[in-house]
Structures are given as structure tokens and as C-alpha cells.
């Protein structure tokens, strides 16, 4: 779950960095000019929705998680593993709500987003989505 922790930490850092109290800018601090480039990567619009979707999933709020994860994909995630992660959690939700065709498609979409996508051994062994995952992404196949 290290990638999840990184996504959530990045989202928290981004949100914290946006809050600047009025009048807190010093006189010697000029606003950024157009020719300056930020040192850090600019977050894709869907990253906050992805973090919220994963958080809702972990809290057992599956309808909210599904909504946020779908929103994250519509808004755009710039990194393939992030898109794969959104599809993975959607697959989990679809399988547990007996929407096997959607679950199957979500696992395939995860692999398309990130060719190295694979569930952990524990995730792949889950009784609800493990069999669908194995059918959707047989070992050794792209």
C-alpha cells in the first residue's frame, strides 16, 4: 500500500500548500512570473478525486468511492499507475457488488493504463475479485 500512502501524502501536501493566509506574503516576496517554472510536478486534476476515492473505499463508503474514482478518471490522471490504481479500486467495488463484467473490464483497463499492473498476492487471492482478476489478466499475458 506504499503507492496509496504516497498519493494521500501528496494530496495532503498539495492541499496544505494552497492555503495562504491573507497578508502573509512578505514585501520582498514577488508573485511568480510567467517565465518561472515550479520545482515540483503540477498535480493532475484527478489526483484529489483519486485520493478521496481511495479514502472512501478504505472507510467502507463504496458508493462515494465509486463516484470519486470515476471522477478521477474523467478529470484526468497524468500517471499510468494512478489510472491503474483508480481502475483497480473500481474493480474491487464492481466485484463485491456482483457486477462481474464491469470488474473484468476495470482490471483490463488497469493493465492498459499501466502494463506492469498486478495485484499483490493477498489481493489476487481475494475470493470475490481474485477469480475475475485471473480471468481478465492471466499470468504472463500483457
Amino acid at each position: 500500500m506504499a503507492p496509496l500512502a504516497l498519493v494521500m501524502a501528496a494530496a495532503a501536501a498539495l492541499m496544505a500548500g494552497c492555503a495562504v493566509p491573507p497578508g502573509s506574503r512578505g514585501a520582498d516576496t514577488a508573485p511568480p512570473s510567467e517565465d518561472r517554472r515550479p520545482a515540483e510536478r503540477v498535480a493532475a486534476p484527478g489526483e484529489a478525486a483519486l485520493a478521496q476515492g481511495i479514502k472512501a473505499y478504505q472507510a467502507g463508503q463504496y458508493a462515494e468511492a465509486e463516484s470519486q474514482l470515476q471522477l478521477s478518471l474523467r478529470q484526468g490522471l497524468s500517471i499510468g499507475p494512478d489510472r491503474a490504481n483508480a481502475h483497480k479500486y473500481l474493480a474491487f467495488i464492481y466485484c463485491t457488488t456482483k457486477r462481474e463484467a464491469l470488474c473484468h473490464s476495470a482490471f483490463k483497463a488497469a493493465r492498459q493504463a499501466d502494463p506492469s499492473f498486478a495485484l499483490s498476492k493477498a489481493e489476487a487471492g481475494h475470493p470475490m475479485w481474485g477469480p475475475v482478476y485471473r480471468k481478465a489478466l492471466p499470468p504472463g499475458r500483457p
Side-chain angles (χ1 to χ4, degrees):
M1 287 275 217
L4 169 62
L6 289 173
V7 168
M8 293 184 75
L14 283 171
M15 287 187 251
C18 292
V20 178
S24 65
R25 224 176 252 247
D28 60 343
T29 306
S33 67
E34 288 181 15
D35 60 345
R36 290 191 202 165
R37 303 282 183 241
E40 72 255 4
R41 179 181 68 84
V42 176
E47 288 180 2
L50 174 62
Q52 288 300 315
I54 292 170
K55 184 177 176 182
Y57 178 87
Q58 292 172 334
Q61 300 167 340
Y62 302 120
E64 176 65 18
E66 183 176 349
S67 176
Q68 288 295 314
L69 293 165
Q70 289 170 344
L71 176 63
S72 76
L73 291 167
R74 283 193 309 273
Q75 289 182 335
L77 293 166
S78 61
I79 301 173
D82 285 348
R83 288 191 307 275
N85 211 16
H87 286 296
K88 175 182 92 166
Y89 281 99
L90 283 169
F92 292 172
I93 292 167
Y94 295 147
C95 277
T96 58
T97 54
K98 301 185 185 337
R99 295 179 281 172
E100 190 172 317
L102 287 173
C103 179
H104 188 272
S105 295
F107 280 131
K108 284 194 167 288
R111 177 65 61 86
Q112 279 184 322
D114 179 9
S116 67
F117 169 77
L119 293 181
S120 70
K121 191 173 184 174
E123 290 171 333
H126 191 277
M128 296 195 84
W129 57 72
V132 179
Y133 169 73
R134 286 187 291 281
K135 280 189 236 174
L137 305 174
R141 298 232 177 162

